[in-house]
């Protein structure tokens, strides 16, 4: 017998479950109840793949060149330094990216560890959930999780589908004829959803990879595209490679030109003789080649990968204080480049829980809280509190409401426990049921009464009386028109309204005697106080904010208008059905105007992320449920909520610990600040590398072969790579960053401002070094000793001091050199440390560092000349501003 026939045969709720033969046939046809994992890469594979990073590739080439140089008596310290930089950068990247399978592992663990009660061969057994098959009859009850997708065939349940649908609403599931496997179906339940109350027998229609959860697990394992930072580093690597090759060619050509033409006095016969001397020719060609390779090595900013790791880790630690936990370091830089954010409504823009927003009496009075009502009309407030205390399935314990449904908890919390105990005794009770749409309780004691709570449309036909502010009963008809009009307005704006009333007897058949209205209660998921300000801040930063919600269009419109997402510029609201009718090309054209997606499905989120990425946008996505995991993984930066499911947190790049949109704005600020810090460091490195390459190129022509020794160069590299990275890592984020437009995903790291600064400041520093080494006036300022030791000691100090002062120049693009420096005390400490150590090296370095003590006048002259980089850079910035250029870091 086919499994489909077996399923239909038992659809009426009868039967003894599958036989062993049917179980085997079902498993063969539909598979087991396990999620299939894609084969993951090993740690070593991750590590070696990260060696393909564009900057690291250049460093590996430089490492190979340096190994050749080492074997010919070159600088082994530089070789070790590059090797350590490559290893640490690749290791840090591997550790931060490792765990792409973590989301899947967590997803499998959500359900696979449990055992379930299943009916087979007429007996109820307890089996591991992975042994379930399509057609199995499974029993579930309160506190358990649904083990696989199925239809309710007997009993009823209240389940929490928030992890699947993204909305924090409890859903009642009961037997029905609908066989549509959709979360909106009244009889369909899905794997991973917790059962809140009730008991039922299920017939499974999907297991394992074919469940709703299984389809999501496949999407979670997809490979994501390159982050904006990696894309930009690829461009930078190409730019540096071209510059390095060009500089290497110039140096090699200059050396050969000097050796063969200038030294020969441009006598072509002598040049020809040198060329015919093969050993002489090969020696100088090899030397020119090695000079070119050395220039390439010097031009590479080997400290960049290490600096990026340092600046990311430093800011990650600080961000935890702002309720932002970064799981994947590249995610935070992507947040700074984000220009489109798809955000959930529930829990992000709103508080994420049902609460009492207003209390309305029939005579037109509105109260913001129970406490407010009690001050104005105590008698009605006491009846309200009595209803909240007794007509509920929730309990008040330790200052909070426990159990029951979200509505009962909200009502009980509004009165902080239901007011005073009036000695009421419960004589009878009708719990809430979605079919009858009300609940009721009969109280005995001093003042016997029946309290009813229900939907307006259910109670309105039976309302005859109500209360005025003084607690006097008045005919409901005298005030009903205005009161019901106001209730209609609140309902249309997205609120949920309940009526509280009292009667004489419990309804036996769903019909009431005459009822007296106590008040109407507006229940709502309140907007967070800072939501509107956060949306405005993100929009001011050039980020389009799109709200995605499971609410209907009217409710979604109301919330979007209140929070500021809906505007003249972003005026489109689509439902999921309307979105599905649009082609990808049509949606791309309308995307810049999109503000709200109502009745959103998980597939809508993934599709919108994909389409937005195809238009080269940097996309952010918020989420907290299992249904959000694929979109979180696919987005350039996934913001998982701290109270969300483990799966969502594993799929996201950044976890927002307080579920607050304001924290997302802070993440954007930190991301932009990190990119600025990276740009500042690159500016410093390339400026000093420009200087080093310039001196290396020109030095041989002016009779200076080694102005800086190997050990001195090691100290210079420590300053530029490690200490410089630490100094820039401490730069505090400035609010002005949030007034700038987002950087394009493919925007080059080197912009016009940086190139202008590197060329000008690097050129000025080269000129200053050559002036210091060659000008007679400068030379006369130092003592004459063998091997020009005093002068070269001063030059070593000059190079270090200009490096330190250029750190200050690269730190800010403002005219005020010390703007905001007080917020980065680490920078001042590191620069002070470098200066102090350098002075100690001058006086204590000896033969190791090729230094000798300088007199006070010699040290003063060196410092004064070093300080000239400040006015030179200030004039460049002024000239840049006067030309109307606003571009900076």
């Amino acid at each position: 017998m086919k499994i489909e026939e077996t399923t239909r045969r038992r659809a009426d709720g009868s039967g003894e479950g599958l036989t062993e033969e049917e179980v085997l046939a079902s498993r063969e046809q539909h598979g087991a109840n396990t999620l299939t994992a894609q084969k993951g890469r090993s740690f070593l594979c991750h590590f070696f793949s990260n060696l393909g990073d564009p900057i690291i590739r250049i460093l590996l080439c430089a490492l190979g060149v340096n190994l050749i140089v080492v074997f010919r008596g070159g600088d082994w310290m530089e070789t070790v330094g590059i090797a350590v930089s490559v290893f640490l950068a690749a290791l840090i990247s591997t550790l931060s990216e490792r765990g792409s399978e973590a989301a899947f592992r967590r997803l499998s663990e959500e359900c696979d560890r449990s055992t379930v009660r299943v009916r087979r061969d007429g007996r109820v057994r307890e089996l591991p959930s992975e042994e379930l098959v399509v057609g199995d009859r499974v029993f579930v009850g309160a506190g358990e999780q649904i083990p696989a997708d199925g239809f309710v065939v007997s009993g009823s349940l209240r389940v929490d589908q928030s992890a699947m649908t993204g909305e924090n609403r409890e859903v009642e599931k009961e037997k029905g004829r609908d066989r549509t496997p959709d979360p909106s179906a009244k009889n369909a339940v899905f794997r991973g959803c917790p059962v809140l109350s009730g008991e039922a027998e299920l017939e499974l229609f999907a297991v394992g990879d074919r469940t709703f959860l299984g389809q999501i697990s496949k999407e979670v394992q997809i490979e994501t595209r390159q982050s904006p930072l990696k894309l930009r580093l690829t461009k930078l690597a190409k730019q540096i490679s071209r510059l390095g090759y060009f500089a290497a060619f110039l140096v090699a050509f200059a050396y050969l030109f000097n050796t063969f033409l200038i030294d020969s006095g441009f006598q072509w016969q002598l040049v020809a003789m040198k060329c015919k001397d093969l050993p002489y020719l090969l020696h100088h060609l090899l030397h020119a080649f090695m000079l070119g390779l050395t220039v390439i090595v010097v031009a590479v900013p080997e400290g960049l990968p290490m600096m990026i790791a340092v600046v990311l880790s430093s800011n990650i630690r600080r961000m935890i204080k702002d309720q932002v936990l970064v799981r994947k370091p590249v995610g935070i830089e992507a947040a700074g480049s984000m220009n489109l954010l798809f955000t959930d409504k529930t829990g992000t823009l709103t508080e994420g829980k049902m609460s009492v927003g207003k209390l309305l009496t029939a005579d037109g009075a509105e109260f913001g809280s129970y406490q407010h009502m009690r001050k104005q009309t105590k008698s009605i407030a006491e009846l309200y509190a009595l209803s909240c205390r007794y007509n509920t399935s929730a309990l008040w314990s330790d200052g909070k409401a426990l159990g029951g449904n979200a509505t009962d908890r909200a009502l009980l919390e509004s009165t902080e426990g239901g007011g005073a105990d009036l000695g009421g005794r419960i004589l009878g009770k009708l719990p809430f049921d979605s079919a009858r749409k009300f609940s009721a309780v009969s109280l005995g004691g001093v003042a016997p009464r029946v309290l009813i709570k229900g939907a307006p449309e259910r109670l309105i036909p039976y309302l005859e009386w109500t209360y005025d502010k003084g607690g006097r009963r008045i005919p409901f008809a005298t005030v009903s028109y205005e009161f019901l009009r106001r209730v209609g307005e609140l309902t249309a704006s997205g609120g949920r309204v309940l009526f509280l009333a009292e009667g004489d007897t419990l309804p036996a058949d769903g019909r009431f005697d005459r009822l007296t209205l106590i008040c109407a209660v507006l229940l709502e998921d309140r907007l967070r106080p800072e939501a509107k300000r956060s949306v405005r801040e993100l929009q001011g930063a050039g980020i389009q904010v799109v709200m995605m919600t499971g609410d209907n269009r009217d409710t979604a419109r109301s919330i979007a208008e209140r929070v500021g997402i809906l505007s003249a510029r972003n005026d489109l609201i689509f439902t999921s059905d309307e979105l599905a009718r649009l082609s990808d090309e049509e949606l791309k054209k309308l995307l810049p105007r999109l503000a709200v997606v109502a009745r959103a499905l998980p597939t809508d989120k993934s599709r919108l992320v994909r389409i937005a990425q195809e238009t080269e946008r940097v996309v952010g996505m918020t989420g907290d449920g299992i249904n959000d995991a694929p979109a979180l993984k696919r987005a350039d930066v996934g913001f998982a909520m701290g109270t969300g499911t483990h799966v969502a947190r594993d799929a996201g790049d950044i976890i927002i610990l307080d579920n607050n949109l304001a924290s997302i704005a802070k993440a954007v600020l930190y991301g932009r600040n990190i990119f600025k810090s990276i740009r500042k460091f690159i500016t410093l490195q390339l400026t000093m590398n420009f200087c080093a390459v310039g001196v290396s190129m020109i030095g041989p022509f002016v009779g200076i072969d080694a102005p800086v020794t190997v050990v001195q160069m090691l100290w210079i590299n420590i300053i530029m790579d490690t200490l410089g990275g630490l100094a820039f890592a401490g730069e505090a984020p400035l609010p002005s960053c949030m007034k700038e437009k987002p950087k394009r995903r493919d925007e080059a790291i080197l912009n016009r401002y940086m190139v202008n600064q590197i060329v000008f400041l690097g050129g000025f520093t080269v000129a200053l070094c050559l002036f210091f080494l060659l000008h007679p006036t400068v030379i006369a300022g130092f003592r004459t000793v063998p091997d020009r030791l005093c002068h070269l000691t001063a030059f070593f100090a000059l190079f270090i001091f200009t490096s330190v002062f250029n750190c200050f120049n690269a730190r800010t693009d403002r005219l005020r050199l010390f703007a905001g420096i007080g917020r980065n005390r680490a920078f001042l400490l590191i620069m002070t440390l470098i200066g102090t150590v350098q002075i100690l090296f001058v006086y204590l370095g000896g033969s190791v560092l090729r230094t000798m003590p300088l007199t006070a006048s010699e040290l003063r002259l060196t410092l004064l000349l070093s300080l000239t980089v400040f006015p030179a850079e200030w004039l460049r910035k002024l000239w840049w501003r006067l030309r109307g250029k606003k571009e900076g870091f």
Side-chain angles (χ1 to χ4, degrees):
M1 182 183 292
K2 292 184 179 180
I3 293 300
E4 287 80 358
E5 293 175 1
T6 305
T7 301
R8 286 196 296 271
R9 179 166 57 86
R10 296 183 172 90
D12 61 350
S14 63
E16 298 180 345
L18 299 179
T19 64
E20 288 302 321
E21 292 77 12
E22 289 170 338
V23 168
L24 293 174
S26 178
R27 187 173 289 124
E28 179 69 24
Q29 182 176 352
H30 300 284
N33 192 34
T34 55
L35 302 179
T36 305
Q38 292 181 359
K39 187 177 179 181
R41 293 185 299 173
S42 66
F43 181 87
L44 285 178
C45 287
H46 272 288
F47 180 82
F48 286 117
S49 68
N50 278 319
L51 292 178
D53 182 90
I55 296 295
I56 290 180
R57 281 204 303 267
I58 294 182
L59 290 179
L60 286 173
C61 293
L63 180 61
V65 170
N66 260 38
L67 286 173
I68 298 172
V69 176
V70 165
F71 287 125
R72 299 185 78 248
D75 176 14
W76 63 269
M77 290 186 181
E78 176 78 12
T79 304
V80 171
I82 293 176
V84 170
S85 294
V86 167
F87 175 78
L88 289 179
L91 179 64
I92 291 170
S93 295
T94 301
L95 291 175
S96 65
E97 294 169 6
R98 181 75 170 160
S100 60
E101 297 89 11
F104 172 80
R105 289 197 301 270
R106 185 76 71 177
L107 192 56
S108 298
E109 291 169 4
E110 292 283 323
C111 296
D112 287 350
R113 287 177 290 186
S114 60
T115 58
V116 295
R117 294 166 292 153
V118 57
R119 189 201 302 272
R120 285 186 182 171
D121 284 326
R123 293 186 298 119
V124 177
R125 305 178 185 179
E126 193 171 74
L127 298 174
S129 63
E130 59 263 28
E131 293 189 16
L132 296 176
V133 298
V134 170
D136 261 331
R137 290 296 184 88
V138 177
F139 295 91
V140 291
E144 296 179 326
Q145 280 194 340
I146 305 298
D149 297 357
F151 293 117
V152 176
V153 293
S154 67
S156 64
L157 300 168
R158 292 189 71 82
V159 297
D160 179 4
Q161 289 191 162
S162 60
M164 296 294 177
T165 63
E167 297 302 315
N168 64 338
R169 289 178 181 164
E170 301 162 5
V171 181
E172 184 161 350
K173 300 290 184 177
E174 56 192 5
K175 180 180 177 181
R177 294 184 177 181
D178 188 4
R179 310 299 280 180
T180 305
D182 186 88
S184 61
K186 290 293 291 182
N187 63 334
V189 292
F190 295 88
R191 178 175 179 167
C193 292
V195 179
L196 301 177
S197 62
E199 289 187 349
E201 184 177 359
L202 312 178
E203 183 177 291
L204 304 185
F205 62 78
V207 295
D209 291 338
R210 299 186 182 185
T211 61
F212 189 86
L213 189 63
Q215 295 300 315
I216 289 175
S217 75
K218 292 180 181 179
E219 294 188 57
V220 167
Q221 298 179 72
I222 60 171
E223 291 292 327
T224 54
R225 67 174 181 172
Q226 272 192 334
S227 69
L229 182 59
K230 280 197 173 183
L231 191 65
R232 290 162 181 163
L233 287 175
T234 302
K235 279 195 170 185
L236 179 65
K238 291 178 181 178
Q239 292 172 321
I240 291 174
S241 299
R242 294 190 191 111
L243 290 172
Y245 296 147
F246 180 69
F249 171 77
L250 285 180
V251 169
F253 178 80
Y255 172 79
L256 293 173
F257 185 83
N258 181 62
T259 301
F260 287 91
L261 288 176
I262 295 179
D263 287 354
S264 302
F266 292 96
Q267 297 182 20
W268 296 105
Q269 290 182 346
L270 191 56
V271 172
M273 289 177 59
K274 288 182 177 181
C275 292
K276 289 178 182 179
D277 187 348
L278 192 59
Y280 179 87
L281 177 64
L282 290 176
H283 171 77
H284 286 287
L285 284 175
L286 181 61
H287 188 68
F289 177 71
M290 294 308 297
L291 277 175
L293 290 180
T294 303
V295 168
I296 292 175
V297 172
V298 172
V300 173
E302 63 266 30
L304 180 57
M306 199 62 197
M307 182 270 172
I308 291 174
V310 168
V311 73
L312 287 173
S313 62
S314 172
N315 280 275
I316 285 169
R317 287 196 299 273
R318 279 190 285 174
M319 291 168 68
I320 293 177
K321 298 177 182 177
D322 286 322
Q323 303 299 308
V324 179
L325 176 63
V326 180
R327 286 191 63 252
K328 300 173 185 176
V330 292
I332 188 58
E333 190 281 327
S337 302
M338 180 175 67
N339 49 33
L340 176 59
L341 174 65
F342 294 106
T343 179
D344 278 341
K345 179 212 73 176
T346 305
T348 307
L349 295 171
T350 65
E351 294 178 346
K353 66 175 185 177
M354 195 71 74
S355 59
V356 174
K358 286 182 180 179
L359 299 171
L360 297 85
T361 56
D363 61 356
E366 295 187 12
F367 307 97
S369 66
Y370 162 72
Q371 290 75 16
H372 184 206
M373 174 188 270
R374 189 173 176 81
K375 291 178 181 178
Q376 300 294 324
T377 173
K378 186 175 180 180
S379 58
I380 297 179
E382 286 178 349
L383 285 171
Y384 169 75
L386 196 66
S387 180
C388 293
R389 184 184 184 95
Y390 291 106
N391 190 9
T392 182
S393 57
L395 297 173
W396 185 258
S397 177
D398 296 327
K400 59 182 178 181
L402 302 175
N405 56 42
T407 300
D408 287 343
R409 290 194 298 271
L411 291 171
L412 197 55
E413 286 174 353
S414 72
T415 61
E416 298 181 351
D421 188 352
L422 302 181
R425 188 171 84 255
I426 296 178
L427 302 178
K429 198 169 188 178
L430 284 175
F432 180 82
D433 181 88
S434 59
R436 57 174 172 254
K437 295 185 179 180
F438 74 88
S439 65
V441 62
S442 176
L443 298 180
V446 179
R449 66 189 75 212
V450 174
L451 299 172
I452 300 107
K453 172 183 66 190
E457 66 272 18
R458 189 71 179 81
L459 302 187
I460 286 173
Y462 306 99
L463 292 176
E464 291 198 10
W465 302 93
T466 187
Y467 293 103
D468 63 13
K469 284 185 180 180
R472 295 181 298 272
R473 285 212 314 176
I474 59 174
F476 179 70
T478 60
V479 292
S480 62
Y481 178 78
E482 285 298 322
F483 174 72
L484 294 179
R485 185 186 63 79
R486 178 61 177 148
V487 168
E489 289 176 354
L490 293 173
T491 304
S493 66
R496 181 185 171 207
V497 178
L498 288 178
F499 280 8
L500 302 186
E502 63 176 344
D504 298 324
T505 60
L506 279 176
D509 56 357
R511 297 180 63 85
F512 300 94
D513 293 331
R514 296 174 298 176
L515 297 181
T516 302
L517 178 71
I518 299 172
C519 66
V521 183
L522 173 65
L523 293 169
E524 60 182 1
D525 186 4
R526 292 177 181 170
L527 285 179
R528 287 179 176 271
E530 65 283 351
K532 189 171 184 178
R533 174 179 55 80
S534 301
V535 168
R536 188 166 57 246
E537 185 177 7
L538 288 169
Q539 291 172 337
I543 299 171
Q544 180 184 351
V545 182
V546 177
M547 184 181 81
M548 306 194 72
T549 177
D551 290 327
N552 60 48
R553 181 192 290 270
D554 292 335
T555 301
R557 177 187 294 277
S558 172
I559 292 169
E561 286 176 344
R562 287 161 59 195
V563 85
I565 289 176
L566 200 62
S567 63
R569 183 176 181 180
N570 302 105
D571 58 345
L572 292 182
I573 299 176
F574 290 132
T575 63
S576 178
D577 291 339
E578 292 168 342
L579 209 62
R581 289 194 289 269
L582 293 173
S583 68
D584 286 359
E585 291 304 316
E586 289 173 328
L587 193 50
K588 286 178 185 178
K589 294 177 182 178
L590 296 173
L591 190 61
R593 293 174 54 197
L594 184 62
V596 177
V597 179
R599 297 296 189 197
L601 298 176
T603 51
D604 296 329
K605 297 181 179 183
S606 294
R607 183 191 178 205
L608 282 167
V609 169
R610 174 180 59 80
I611 288 173
Q613 288 179 336
E614 288 175 1
T615 61
E616 291 304 313
R617 290 171 176 260
V618 180
V619 185
M621 171 65 74
T622 72
D624 58 0
I626 293 171
N627 66 315
D628 297 321
L632 287 171
K633 184 71 183 293
R634 185 184 291 273
D636 294 296
V637 53
F639 297 100
M641 298 298 111
T643 57
T645 62
H646 289 299
V647 178
R649 294 201 297 269
D650 283 341
D653 303 296
I654 296 172
I655 299 173
I656 305 301
L657 299 176
D658 59 356
N659 296 10
N660 200 328
L661 193 68
S663 297
I664 295 178
K666 290 176 184 175
V668 173
L669 175 60
Y670 274 103
R672 293 187 175 189
N673 183 65
I674 286 170
F675 186 60
K676 281 182 178 287
S677 296
I678 292 171
R679 276 186 158 177
K680 292 172 184 179
F681 178 77
I682 290 172
T683 300
L684 171 67
Q685 277 234 319
L686 294 183
T687 298
M688 299 316 298
N689 285 359
F690 186 104
C691 180
V693 169
V695 172
S696 299
M697 286 175 57
I698 300 172
F701 292 99
V702 293
I704 303 172
D705 292 325
V708 178
T709 68
V710 171
V711 179
Q712 288 174 348
M713 186 56 73
L714 178 62
W715 170 234
I716 291 170
N717 280 342
I718 289 173
I719 292 172
M720 288 195 298
D721 298 345
T722 307
L723 296 178
L726 287 172
F728 285 113
E731 282 295 297
L734 298 174
S736 58
C737 293
M738 295 297 283
K739 297 178 182 178
E740 299 174 4
K741 291 182 179 180
K743 303 292 187 291
R744 296 192 322 275
R745 181 172 179 269
D746 59 347
E747 182 172 329
I749 291 180
L750 285 176
N751 61 13
R752 289 181 300 173
Y753 177 87
M754 293 170 67
V755 171
N756 183 274
Q757 183 173 11
I758 291 165
V759 171
F760 176 84
L761 202 54
F764 179 84
T765 309
V766 169
L768 178 63
C769 289
L770 293 175
F771 175 78
F772 189 90
L773 288 170
L774 301 174
H775 201 278
T777 305
V778 177
I779 295 172
F782 298 93
R783 287 164 290 166
T784 303
V785 295
D787 297 325
R788 300 177 62 186
L789 184 59
C790 182
H791 190 205
L792 290 176
T793 297
F795 176 75
F796 175 44
L798 176 88
F799 201 95
I800 296 297
F801 290 147
T802 53
S803 297
V804 170
F805 298 151
N806 279 333
C807 282
F808 284 88
N809 284 329
R811 196 192 67 83
T812 180
D813 51 16
R814 301 183 183 184
L815 289 173
R816 289 173 52 231
L817 184 65
F818 300 107
I821 202 167
R823 300 178 64 187
N824 187 3
R825 295 180 181 178
F827 184 91
L828 292 172
L829 288 173
I830 291 171
M831 295 302 114
T832 302
L833 174 66
I834 293 172
T836 303
V837 171
Q838 179 58 36
I839 292 173
L840 291 175
F841 280 173
V842 167
Y843 290 96
L844 303 176
S847 59
V848 175
L849 285 166
R850 197 187 70 178
T851 61
M852 63 173 286
L854 298 177
T855 65
S857 61
E858 290 169 340
L859 186 61
R860 184 168 56 249
L861 176 61
T862 304
L863 273 170
L864 285 172
L865 287 173
S866 302
L867 286 168
T868 57
V869 297
F870 284 146
E873 173 61 7
W874 186 86
L875 289 170
R876 185 202 67 81
K877 288 177 181 174
L878 181 63
W879 172 76
W880 183 263
R881 296 285 179 86
L882 291 174
R883 290 179 61 203
K885 305 286 187 180
K886 295 182 179 180
E887 189 176 18
F889 291 116

